[in-house]
Amino acid sequence: MSKEEKKVNRRDFLFTASYTVGAVGVGAVIWPMIDQMNPDKAQQALATTEVDISNIEPGKSITVLWRGKPVFLKRRTSEEIAEARAVKLDDLPDPQKDEDRVKEGKDEWLVMLGVCTHLGCVPLKDKGDFNGWFCPCHGSHYDVSGRIRKGPAPTNMEIPKFEFVDSNTIKIG
Amino acid sequence: MSEHEYVPKSKAAKWFNDRLPLLTLGAHLTDYPTPKNLNYWWTFGGILTFCLITQIVTGIVLAMHYVAHADLAFASVEHIMRDVNYGWLIRYIHSNGASMFFLAVYIHIFRSLFYGSYKSPREVIWIIGLMIYLLMMAAAFMGYVLPWGQMSFWGATVITNLFSAIPLVGDSITTWLWGAYSVDNPTLNRFFSLHYLIPFLILGLVVLHIWALHIPGNNNPVGIDIKKPSKDTVPFHPYITIKDAFALLVFMIIFAGFVFFTPNVLGHSDNYIPANPLVTPAHIVPEWYLLPFYAILRSVPDKLGGVILMFSAIFILFVLPWLDTSKVRSAVFRPIYRQFFWILVIDVLMLGYVGAMPAEGIYLVLARVGTIYYFLHFIVVMPVVGYLEKTDPIPMSISEPVLTGGAEPSLARKGNDKV
């Protein structure tokens, strides 16, 4: 009886050990197959873009391409800034102060990803119910700070990592 | 069954068949006993096989001329249209073929819904069929991206962004799907690879679909079990092959009508504008065959909720055999269910229509009503009606439909006329 049990246990151990080694092996092969689909070195190398902003008049905006996505650079007028800051946080689906969406001391520059947070379309400027942007795909309205106000988009338009290299140049990324 | 008795005539054939019984398989497929009352709604299996082969053949030819690169794809498609000998014809067959494929598959699915073909013992056939349908949608979506026009690019953007609704890992998954930080050249490259792969996966599933079908045999308009072979059945060849061939010819006439007279009517003119990541077209719509699901997605004012509901609309079909509580298969003998069936047909058509319209005002209201009915139909109507409904008497056999009819001797006849 005890002899038989021993035999079975020994075989169980071999099975379990084989399955475990096999599973580790399969995992080691699968991971490279999955990870090869992530952005490659060439894509990652496009990670920063420098933009000359010296020609942008107050109230105007430009769109540049960064990592294949549009980035809106808007030089806001003081009225627009005041309008963005007068909004009560309670009125916002994704509460965020306008101050937190710009660099301190550079309040007139709004730099954000021009990508609707719903399903990735490019919103149209100076449209919609809130004097900001309007996404034509599924009807999301953004305000002059790029914050979602109405429609299916869940969050405000994203602010990318950026810095002022000098007073005329912004580096995105 | 006849295939067990099959013996090849020549010695060489017998030698081969003993080693690989392909001839036995051929004999099985030829003699396969089929219910003698199958109507023309049963010809779409053959039509769908034709569609799949057409897409594979034209697709392989197109891949000889197409270039899967973001800078070259659009121009290579125009090159196919203008320079390649008969390129215009092959591409129009391929692009319209996708639509014809979906037209046929929707008829095939609704036929199954009407006659209860998804019910025991055919659940596995139904589930494999739904897997084919899912792969068809994936293949069609990726194929639509390949010309790299505006609708290609923005369709790809919107659909891949659906995955960003997944909490926590959504953005990582989307980036992984893209292979970049937006829909870009790596995305196009991999979509081409997968678009080439999927039809062969479908082909494999089709073999399983037919295999699973040949275990219980075909359902039929009366929906009763039949003895095989018997006087209720006919051999597949020539009786069904000739009927399938006739239906296929009619289908091909319609197909050719699209290809030669209105090759672009089912597409979107914006896709003749090269992809531009800075400008979204004013009115993005998917291809017609995805519109009902698009309407469901847009009917929910919440991103994650919309995505969940849209995927649920497809996945609920997988449990349909267990949601339907009725013992009777064919809707011919189910007076109440039959009416709900037609409401579902109208509901899906309406969802398709509002899916093509802007998501506002009355269209949004209709989309919401349609979405609610769609789910009620499967979750509430099917279990409850199946349980409560008083079904009409069903005939004993296809050949002797009048024996149990009693007061209604013409019942089965009437049923046949209706379909």
Side-chain angles (χ1 to χ4, degrees):
Chain A
M1 184 72 193
S2 64
K3 238 184 185 177
E4 243 175 43
E5 241 171 48
K6 226 179 182 179
K7 248 185 183 172
V8 172
N9 285 341
R10 187 179 135 87
R11 181 145 293 185
D12 278 351
F13 171 78
L14 284 172
F15 276 138
T16 310
S18 310
Y19 289 144
T20 309
V21 173
V24 170
V26 169
V29 176
I30 282 180
W31 175 246
M33 301 308 271
I34 292 174
D35 192 43
Q36 54 83 21
M37 280 175 69
N38 273 317
D40 55 31
K41 299 279 187 301
Q43 289 292 329
Q44 289 170 6
L46 305 171
T48 61
T49 301
E50 292 203 2
V51 189
D52 177 12
I53 54 169
S54 55
N55 291 328
I56 306 173
E57 300 290 327
K60 298 288 175 201
S61 67
I62 62 166
T63 305
V64 297
L65 212 55
W66 172 65
R67 284 177 158 187
K69 281 177 179 164
V71 175
F72 296 155
L73 291 98
K74 184 172 170 77
R75 187 173 180 182
R76 302 182 297 177
T77 60
S78 47
E79 296 88 62
E80 286 172 328
I81 298 171
E83 182 190 332
R85 294 188 176 179
V87 178
K88 274 186 277 174
L89 285 187
D90 294 345
D91 295 342
L92 298 170
D94 179 21
Q96 192 180 20
K97 281 193 202 161
D98 182 64
E99 287 87 334
D100 297 337
R101 295 175 58 77
V102 294
K103 290 265 190 273
E104 211 180 333
K106 299 271 191 185
D107 296 359
E108 59 178 0
W109 291 103
L110 179 65
V111 179
M112 66 181 179
L113 282 185
V115 175
C116 180
T117 56
H118 183 224
L119 294 173
C121 298
V122 180
L124 305 168
K125 66 179 174 183
D126 304 324
K127 286 232 165 66
D129 298 349
F130 298 92
N131 205 14
W133 287 266
F134 171 71
C135 182
C137 290
H138 307 97
S140 293
H141 299 255
Y142 295 89
D143 68 11
V144 73
S145 186
R147 294 173 296 197
I148 180 64
R149 300 298 291 274
K150 199 173 111 182
T155 56
N156 305 330
M157 277 195 266
E158 196 185 323
I159 306 292
K161 191 167 154 263
F162 72 98
E163 60 187 64
F164 288 86
V165 178
D166 55 56
S167 57
N168 284 333
T169 312
I170 290 178
K171 189 171 98 178
I172 307 166
Chain B
M1 296 246 280
S2 54
E3 63 261 32
H4 296 306
E5 299 145 19
Y6 175 77
V7 181
K9 285 190 183 71
S10 79
K11 224 174 168 186
K14 188 174 179 316
W15 178 89
F16 179 79
N17 201 53
D18 285 345
R19 282 148 185 82
L20 181 66
L22 272 185
L23 297 172
T24 302
L25 178 65
H28 163 75
L29 293 175
T30 311
D31 299 339
Y32 173 63
T34 317
K36 66 179 185 182
N37 60 339
L38 295 191
N39 56 36
Y40 275 105
W41 298 115
W42 259 265
T43 59
F44 283 87
I47 287 170
L48 283 161
T49 311
F50 164 80
C51 286
L52 178 62
I53 291 167
T54 304
Q55 291 306 87
I56 289 177
V57 171
T58 53
I60 288 172
V61 173
L62 287 170
M64 295 179 185
H65 305 279
Y66 170 79
V67 185
H69 189 282
D71 297 338
L72 303 170
F74 188 88
S76 77
V77 171
E78 287 310 302
H79 161 73
I80 288 168
M81 295 300 289
R82 293 153 196 252
D83 304 338
V84 175
N85 300 329
Y86 295 103
W88 59 272
L89 178 64
I90 296 160
R91 176 167 175 261
Y92 277 153
I93 291 174
H94 196 72
S95 61
N96 284 284
S99 282
M100 300 313 289
F101 206 157
F102 276 95
L103 177 68
V105 89
Y106 281 127
I107 294 172
H108 195 63
I109 291 171
F110 275 105
R111 189 270 291 152
S112 181
L113 284 175
F114 188 86
Y115 294 109
S117 302
Y118 52 88
K119 290 205 238 194
S120 175
R122 297 185 180 81
E123 301 94 324
V124 173
I125 312 175
W126 170 254
I127 287 169
I128 293 171
L130 287 174
M131 289 162 71
I132 295 172
Y133 174 51
L134 280 176
L135 283 177
M136 278 174 64
M137 289 197 281
F141 158 66
M142 292 191 203
Y144 195 55
V145 174
L146 301 184
W148 213 238
Q150 273 290 69
M151 277 295 161
S152 299
F153 184 89
W154 291 102
T157 300
V158 167
I159 300 295
T160 49
N161 262 302
L162 293 177
F163 294 92
S164 73
I166 301 168
L168 301 176
V169 293
D171 284 329
S172 313
I173 289 178
T174 316
T175 306
W176 177 73
L177 287 173
W178 289 336
Y181 301 100
S182 61
V183 172
D184 210 332
N185 189 50
T187 324
L188 175 61
N189 238 246
R190 64 191 54 182
F191 277 18
F192 178 59
S193 170
L194 296 172
H195 182 72
Y196 208 122
L197 164 72
I198 290 174
F200 296 98
L201 298 181
I202 293 177
L203 192 62
L205 285 175
V206 166
V207 171
L208 294 183
H209 194 61
I210 295 171
W211 185 2
L213 169 70
H214 280 232
I215 302 301
N218 287 70
N219 186 28
N220 64 78
V222 183
I224 55 171
D225 290 325
I226 50 168
K227 269 204 228 102
K228 297 165 296 178
S230 69
K231 58 184 171 172
D232 280 349
T233 66
V234 290
F236 189 79
H237 181 75
Y239 294 94
I240 303 297
T241 43
I242 198 71
K243 188 163 185 161
D244 277 358
F246 178 71
L248 180 60
L249 277 173
V250 174
F251 184 80
M252 283 163 83
I253 291 170
I254 299 166
F255 193 158
F258 277 107
V259 169
F260 290 105
F261 295 101
T262 57
N264 288 305
V265 72
L266 297 170
H268 198 296
S269 52
D270 273 19
N271 221 26
Y272 284 100
I273 303 168
N276 180 355
L278 290 175
V279 181
T280 306
H283 190 48
I284 293 192
V285 280
E287 293 278 82
W288 68 267
Y289 39 80
L290 302 176
L291 286 171
F293 300 110
Y294 194 59
I296 291 174
L297 169 75
R298 297 195 306 180
S299 69
V300 186
D302 176 73
K303 181 173 167 179
L304 181 59
V307 172
I308 288 174
L309 217 58
M310 186 185 72
F311 282 107
S312 305
I314 298 166
F315 285 106
I316 197 169
L317 298 173
F318 280 86
V319 292
L320 188 64
W322 296 275
L323 288 173
D324 186 349
T325 53
S326 178
K327 295 273 184 288
V328 176
R329 289 201 193 97
S330 176
V332 170
F333 305 104
R334 301 185 60 190
I336 310 294
Y337 170 74
R338 194 162 62 217
Q339 295 170 36
F340 282 109
F341 170 84
W342 288 112
I343 295 175
L344 180 72
V345 172
I346 293 164
D347 185 64
V348 171
L349 290 174
M350 182 191 78
L351 280 172
Y353 172 71
V354 298
M357 296 291 126
E360 56 197 32
I362 182 70
Y363 299 122
L364 195 56
V365 177
L366 287 174
R368 286 179 180 160
V369 172
T371 301
I372 290 167
Y373 180 76
Y374 182 90
F375 284 98
L376 280 184
H377 182 91
F378 294 113
I379 296 171
V380 177
V381 171
M382 290 204 105
V384 172
V385 169
Y387 187 68
L388 297 177
E389 183 179 45
K390 189 183 179 305
T391 53
D392 295 335
I394 53 174
M396 291 288 282
S397 77
I398 295 169
S399 302
E400 303 156 73
V402 291
L403 285 186
T404 53
E408 291 181 271
S410 62
L411 186 73
R413 184 73 242 146
K414 241 165 58 193
N416 269 343
D417 287 345
K418 185 157 249 125
V419 297

